[in-house]
Amino acid sequence: MNEQIELLRQRDQFYARARRSVPAARRFAEWSLSYWGLTDWERSADVLLCVSELVTNAVVHGVPPGRGCFLLRLRRDGTVVRVEVHDSGTGVPQVAHPGLDEGGRGLLLVSALSDKWGVGERNPGKIAWCEFALT
């Protein structure tokens, strides 16, 4: 019974190391928010943008060739929606300072739109995450 309740609060999906995974992950996140009744939540667009940014980072930087996939996990815990992207790459993502370069602003957006964000350890790799309060 607890397993079934847990599945209702957490949605997991694996994706290939391919650019087409970004819109697919965004659709999965949109479906998950709808499943939880959060389609009209004022922060749903922020969640979807952060999913796109974290997934793009995993595709471009986080999944080494030959390892092929990463995990997107969306979780609703009471008053928080948490987005996690698990990849097998090395290195720690950091917020880029805005400049003249194209790109590199994904984590700047994540830090501006979410209430909290960070990077956790995983073996191999890391978990990039962000959270949004439902209040």
Side-chain angles (χ1 to χ4, degrees):
M1 181 72 147
N2 285 343
E3 245 180 74
Q4 185 177 15
I5 292 169
E6 188 70 18
L7 290 175
L8 297 176
R9 293 184 190 156
Q10 179 174 301
R11 316 295 296 166
D12 291 354
Q13 184 68 46
F14 284 95
Y15 292 95
R17 182 182 181 256
R19 291 209 182 260
R20 70 180 179 275
S21 294
V22 177
R26 191 175 170 108
R27 285 189 301 273
F28 175 75
E30 190 172 27
W31 182 88
S32 297
L33 291 173
S34 175
Y35 180 83
W36 293 326
L38 298 174
T39 303
D40 295 329
W41 177 40
E42 68 270 4
R43 299 191 73 193
S44 63
D46 295 345
V47 171
L48 297 177
L49 181 55
C50 288
V51 165
S52 294
E53 295 300 335
L54 293 178
V55 166
T56 297
N57 280 352
V59 169
V60 174
H61 305 291
V63 181
R67 293 202 185 141
C69 68
F70 61 91
L71 171 72
L72 170 60
R73 172 171 290 155
L74 298 165
R75 185 170 184 84
R76 180 180 180 181
D77 284 328
T79 62
V80 173
V81 171
R82 182 177 173 103
V83 175
E84 295 180 359
V85 176
H86 299 232
D87 69 47
S88 55
T90 59
V92 177
Q94 296 179 2
V95 175
H97 297 288
L100 299 176
D101 293 337
E102 293 242 353
R105 294 184 186 93
L107 289 178
L108 187 62
L109 288 171
V110 171
S111 68
L113 296 173
S114 66
D115 296 312
K116 294 182 196 174
W117 78 277
V119 180
E121 292 184 18
R122 180 178 177 268
N123 190 13
K126 64 193 159 303
I127 302 167
W129 59 270
C130 60
E131 292 181 348
F132 299 83
L134 286 166
T135 57

